[in-house]
Amino acid sequence: MAETYNINRIRNIGVMAHIDAGKTTTSERVLYYTGSSHRLGNVDSGDTQLDWMEQEQERGITITSAATTCFWHDYSINIIDTPGHVDFTVEVERSLRVLDGGVVVFCAVGGVQPQSETVWRQADKYRVPRIAFINKMDRTGADFRRVVGQIRSKLRARAVPVQLPIGSESGFRGVIDLVEMQALVWDQDVLGSRYTTMPVPTEMACAAEEARNELIDAVAEFDEAILEKYISGEHLSTTEIKSAIRTATIQSEVIPVYCGSAFRNKGVQPLLDGVVDYLPGPADLPPVQGADGKVSGPDRPVVERSCSLSEPFCGLAFKLMNDPFVGQLTFLRVYSGSVKAGETVYNANTQKRERINRLVRIHANKREEVAELKAGEIGGVVGLKSTVTGDTLCSENAPVVLETMDFPEPVVNVALEPESSTDSDKLFESLRRLSLEDPTFKFRVDSETAQTIISGMGELHLDIIVDRLRREFGVKARVGQPQVAYRETVTRPAEAEVRYVKQTGGHGQYAHVVMDIEPLERGAGMVFENAVVGGVIPREYMPAIERGVRESAASGILAGYPVIDFKVRVSFGSYHEVDSSEMAFRIAGSMAIKDLVARGKPVILEPVMALEVTVPAEFLGDVLGNLSSRRARVVRVDTSDCLHVVGAEVPLGEMFGYVTDLRSLSQGRGTQTMEFLHYAPAPAEVQLRVINAGRST
């Protein structure tokens, strides 16, 4: 259908789920029923549109978020399909940053899983309204009410069914629409394109009426007029009920719950109706806020940009991708105004001008060129040179710096060794391009061993990186064994005074700083404070001191790992009118932090993972024994449908090879998920081993 710009008829949504919940299958059915695709893509067959990477099709998992646009009832729906595996959680994070609403898919058998909780927390962080879709109602063990209960108890969300399933497992055939109070039954012979509307089955009439009253009771409190009518017993129209649901959903007070079986082509069309009826459009949300780009310093005033064409242009670059046909492609969410191909825009983060060569509408790995992107839209930009993930593009006359994104630090390292000199020449540039795409992937060259060290979120993450090096960039490399990305920190306050004095033939170098350090709680990062009074160190030298501190903190004194979770304060010092320079104070800051860390009783921190293992009851004892041998702390053991679910906290260093062990212990019937939880001080014997290993390299 022809696209017409109407900001009230735009929906920017993400589809999120834990792994194997059927998220990509649901997205593929959405494309089919909206007419964007003329075939039903299948994950098992490796022919989905949204999982377009070779690695995705081979492994049957989503690795990178894929964007596309489809149309439903005159609404333009921009969809981002996100990965379910924890190693690629960055894709979920940056997608949620720019989306207005979300569809969270749950398996009717597995229910709420650890990655479900992670995705939910991410959506809460960005205050993204969402609806839930309980998928796989046709599977053996499907239980709609149990999953609704888990959403309420585990996610602490007010889940409110707007549908009830008709049947379950092999008997699942349709749903009851609690708003319209009618049954929808699908015709399987036409790939789910048609369904029959009929009265609510007699045997379900009481349950449906009760569920409808619960729905109205939950949403009426968010509309005073509806609440008065409801209390007085007056009839509520379908329009009034939908309006109340929409208001409550946009305020994130309730989660409307749908159900179906995407694989069996049941339940997707009503879900699409829910997207346009209940999730917000760009204009339904508060104006985006950012720092005034005309002012420098930490105390810049906050400015707002409404989602309107009359406002100055601003947008957020939320993803970079290497495209074999157009080069670097930058994904852009436009928050206000509009931008046209050929225009020059201003990068408020780098304070550089960027020319927009082309604008494209993204359909997975395909591109459709457009002349303009307007407020509320998502598209791709070709031609940007110095823009990275999290940068704000805007009008130079009205600069604004939007809030950027925080990404977790990588926890697993491996060493790469190019197989030939040709591979060596191409390796650095290939890794640089991959690191621009993925903020959770980092690389460095060890100055002592000359090895290239790559870091990521897990073994799978790095395996994909190495595979992409080979396939996309033609780089072959030998890969070492995975290593834990340890950290260092201080455990007590300390003070240091450093004078950097160097005399050369011309101007000398002079910098004098007095600094102190104190430990912070886990996850606090590094805090730099200027406490100098009286101008003994000019303010213009403070960024240089901070830069020196950060550079040296990237390599600790015990085993060379980054130093984290500390506050450093500059309290005194002096300068020379002729010999002082930014370089001198940068070196002084670097020297001071090394001295401070040494005085601060440094320790090695190890990454601790949140582990969840699901096994049949007969294997529980063996699994718990194995976890105990890995220094795991079991925090809970739940029972569900003859299965035991073990929740534990375990050091990452003890978990290499665990998947193989679990498979052996459970005869292949156990499953596990694991994600980063926090850093914690390692035991003395582990610290000694890490320090000795660091000194021997």
Side-chain angles (χ1 to χ4, degrees), residues 153-176:
S153 61
K154 292 188 176 183
L155 304 179
R156 293 176 172 79
R158 194 171 184 179
V160 181
V162 294
Q163 294 178 340
L164 291 182
I166 302 175
S168 64
E169 301 182 340
S170 61
F172 176 72
R173 57 193 182 96
V175 302
I176 295 173

Side-chain angles (χ1 to χ4, degrees), residues 18 106-107 110-114 116-117 147 150-151 154-155 612:
H18 61 83
F106 299 91
C107 174
V112 175
Q113 301 289 305
S116 310
E117 299 180 46
V147 180
Q150 289 180 344
I151 297 173
K154 292 188 176 183
L155 304 179
E612 186 167 283

Side-chain angles (χ1 to χ4, degrees), residues 371-445:
E372 185 178 18
L373 289 176
K374 300 176 181 178
E377 295 185 323
I378 293 174
V381 182
V382 179
L384 303 182
K385 304 297 185 184
S386 57
T387 296
V388 299
T389 298
D391 282 356
T392 302
L393 300 178
C394 57
S395 167
E396 190 170 4
N397 296 326
V400 58
V401 183
L402 301 178
E403 182 184 0
T404 188
M405 292 164 274
D406 297 320
F407 301 111
E409 288 292 313
V411 294
V412 178
N413 302 333
V414 298
L416 291 184
E417 188 176 328
E419 291 188 359
S420 67
S421 57
T422 304
D423 293 315
S424 181
D425 294 339
K426 294 190 293 186
L427 180 61
F428 181 85
E429 177 61 20
S430 303
L431 292 175
R432 187 191 69 83
R433 291 169 64 180
L434 288 171
S435 66
L436 286 175
E437 281 191 23
D438 184 352
T440 61
F441 168 69
K442 297 183 179 182
F443 72 98
R444 61 182 175 87
V445 177

